[in-house]
Amino acid sequence: MTISNIRSCLLALCAAGVCTLASAKLPAPSPEAAAKAAEAAAKTAWAGKVDNYKLCLSQDKVAAHYRKATPSAKPAAAVAACADPGPFAYTPPAPKPAEAAASPAATGTAPGTPAPAAAAAPASKS
């Protein structure tokens, strides 16, 4: 083998290693990180609504100026008014109840079997 063949083989091995590392699965984010990501997504969506509102206002302004400057312009068609999104307000979702209490292991029963009744009726003696 020549040195150029060895170099190309090593380069291919390194590229395969990098691809393998890049495709490795990342761990699940912590609850704090997930909450922060949800808030960032909500803020980004709100910013998009604000941008659309500002665009709507500017389009209305340009259309009004055009109708004022052009006497032969058609009258405005009936369109919905621009909706102001208001200030940013984020309310985090309520935390999910603990699923461990509802799991079969917590109740002491095997999966697929019905849970025992909480209050069994006492047997009557006749």
Side-chain angles (χ1 to χ4, degrees):
M1 277 189 130
T2 63
I3 292 183
S4 63
N5 286 344
I6 293 173
R7 285 184 185 167
S8 63
C9 287
L10 285 176
L11 182 62
L13 279 173
C14 289
V18 168
C19 291
T20 303
L21 289 176
S23 66
K25 186 176 180 181
L26 296 175
S30 66
E32 295 84 20
K36 191 175 260 191
E39 183 176 0
K43 193 164 193 167
T44 302
W46 173 79
K49 290 177 185 178
V50 169
D51 290 342
N52 287 339
Y53 174 67
K54 289 180 180 179
L55 176 65
C56 181
L57 290 178
S58 66
Q59 288 174 341
D60 286 350
K61 185 177 176 182
V62 168
H65 176 70
Y66 174 76
R67 285 189 201 93
K68 183 179 175 184
T70 310
S72 64
K74 295 181 182 177
V79 293
C82 300
D84 186 5
F88 177 70
Y90 175 71
T91 54
K96 294 181 182 178
E99 295 176 0
S103 70
T107 59
T109 59
T113 60
S124 63
K125 294 182 179 181
S126 299

